[in-house]
Amino acid sequence: MKKIQASLIAFLAICYVNAQDNINELLAAGIDDAKRFSTDYIAPASEGLGYAINSGWFNSASSPKRFGFQISLVGNASFIKDEKKSFQLNVAEYENIRFPDNSPSKTVATALGQNEPDVTVIVTYDDPIFGSQEVEVTLPTGIGSENVNLIPTGYIQASFSPFKGTQLKGRFFPKVDTEDVELSTYGFGVQQEFTSWLPADSVFPVAVSGLIAYTHLNANYDFTNSSIVDGENQQVETEVNTLLFQLIVGTKFKVVNFYAGLGYINGDSKTDLLGTYTVTDGVFFSETITDPFSIDQDISGVRGTLGANLKLGFFGLNADYSIGEFDTASLGINFSF
């Protein structure tokens, strides 16, 4: 679990560090241009987090006995597809940004990709003394430059069955507070085995269940001490909230079982650039901008899951693979009482 914590923190920190590159010049181009670029740059990372934190919620279609309790250690790895690593930057959508060769558009890295070679743009700004001025800016690259190709998540998860066929579930990621990064995530849900309502549910070795789960992630990166641009309390704060609706079908044998699921993820993310920024426009002029912008994005998509679990007394092990916008592999170690 500690390795997963460190990996997720590293993933978020790398995204944020790359995003803050050349922030002075981007803000000098205007808040609207900076927000437009940041929206396209961050969107795939927010979507990837939405998929990653919704993995590993279930390990079987059947429910434990009444008053049964299970605790699990769950690790997930969401893989980044090539189409999530770049976006098309169309200069017609910007007011003060153009490419040096006057191309109308170019493919540039998102927070999940890499610019290789570097991509530069010309930023135009108004100097109160010298008038319209231009500066060449290298666009931020993404985590691809660090050879990161997946989004890791992990949880301690517990479930309790107060009624026959019903599981109440909760999960959390131990809060981490390093020098620069704060991270916390939690979730809760309910899984109901529909076949437990049938009078002959023990006769057929197949179970059908439904799951509804809510997951929340909050992350904060403080880069005030980075000296990239003058100011105070400079932070990037990300909040992700999602709902998972899942249908699960699986076998009901004593030792080895297989399960499959079809799910729908719906939610949103909000990323805020907070603090004060003293942006330099030319040699003699500067202005201070407070809390420059906030980016709101919707997250939604369908995914399919195939998995298997092994039960040996109170000990269990499960593994599954989900196919969606971000394919995800999950591994769980389960203890049932």
Side-chain angles (χ1 to χ4, degrees), residues 51-52 54-58 76-79 81 244 246 259-263 265 302-307 319-331:
Y51 275 83
N54 277 282
S55 299
W57 263 111
F58 58 94
N76 309 307
S78 295
F79 304 103
K81 298 179 180 179
L244 170 65
Q246 189 82 41
Y259 56 90
L262 182 64
I265 298 170
V302 177
R303 70 175 188 187
T305 302
L306 290 174
D320 60 51
Y321 193 87
S322 297
I323 298 175
E325 289 295 314
F326 287 80
D327 295 351
T328 304
S330 298
L331 179 67

Side-chain angles (χ1 to χ4, degrees), residues 34-240:
K35 181 177 180 179
R36 179 177 295 279
F37 175 82
S38 299
T39 298
D40 290 337
Y41 178 84
I42 292 172
S46 299
E47 184 184 21
L49 283 173
Y51 275 83
I53 63 177
N54 277 282
S55 299
W57 263 111
F58 58 94
N59 54 48
S60 174
S62 60
S63 63
K65 62 183 179 180
R66 188 181 182 189
F67 303 129
F69 178 76
Q70 184 179 88
I71 186 167
S72 304
L73 301 177
V74 181
N76 309 307
S78 295
F79 304 103
I80 301 170
K81 298 179 180 179
D82 288 343
E83 59 263 32
K84 302 297 182 181
K85 296 180 179 181
S86 63
F87 72 96
Q88 201 70 17
L89 193 159
N90 185 348
V91 294
E93 298 175 349
Y94 293 80
E95 296 178 3
N96 302 304
I97 291 177
R98 64 178 177 84
F99 290 110
D101 60 2
N102 292 316
S103 297
S105 66
K106 286 187 179 181
T107 299
V108 301
T110 68
L112 302 181
Q114 177 183 11
N115 286 326
E116 190 178 16
D118 289 341
V119 178
T120 62
V121 294
I122 302 297
V123 172
T124 303
Y125 63 91
D126 289 325
D127 186 283
I129 297 177
F130 301 104
S132 179
Q133 300 292 305
E134 293 184 340
V135 61
E136 188 168 354
V137 177
T138 300
L139 293 178
T141 190
I143 62 174
S145 62
E146 306 290 338
N147 295 318
V148 178
N149 291 300
L150 57 84
I151 304 172
T153 53
Y155 294 96
I156 297 174
Q157 185 165 298
S159 69
F160 175 68
S161 297
F163 314 108
K164 180 182 178 181
T166 303
Q167 288 179 273
L168 301 180
K169 299 188 174 189
R171 55 165 40 177
F172 77 101
F173 184 101
K175 184 176 181 179
V176 177
D177 188 354
T178 67
E179 182 178 353
D180 299 319
V181 179
E182 293 182 9
L183 174 70
S184 64
T185 181
Y186 60 84
F188 51 85
V190 58
Q191 181 174 332
Q192 176 64 50
E193 181 187 343
F194 303 132
T195 46
S196 68
W197 297 334
L198 302 177
D201 68 292
S202 61
V203 175
F204 303 102
V206 176
V208 179
S209 296
L211 167 72
I212 300 176
Y214 166 80
T215 310
H216 169 87
L217 178 143
N218 190 78
N220 178 280
Y221 174 64
D222 190 322
F223 59 94
T224 305
N225 297 326
S226 66
S227 300
I228 290 179
V229 58
D230 291 338
E232 297 180 348
N233 300 317
Q234 296 169 344
Q235 305 171 53
V236 178
E237 187 170 82
T238 296
E239 182 177 309
V240 182

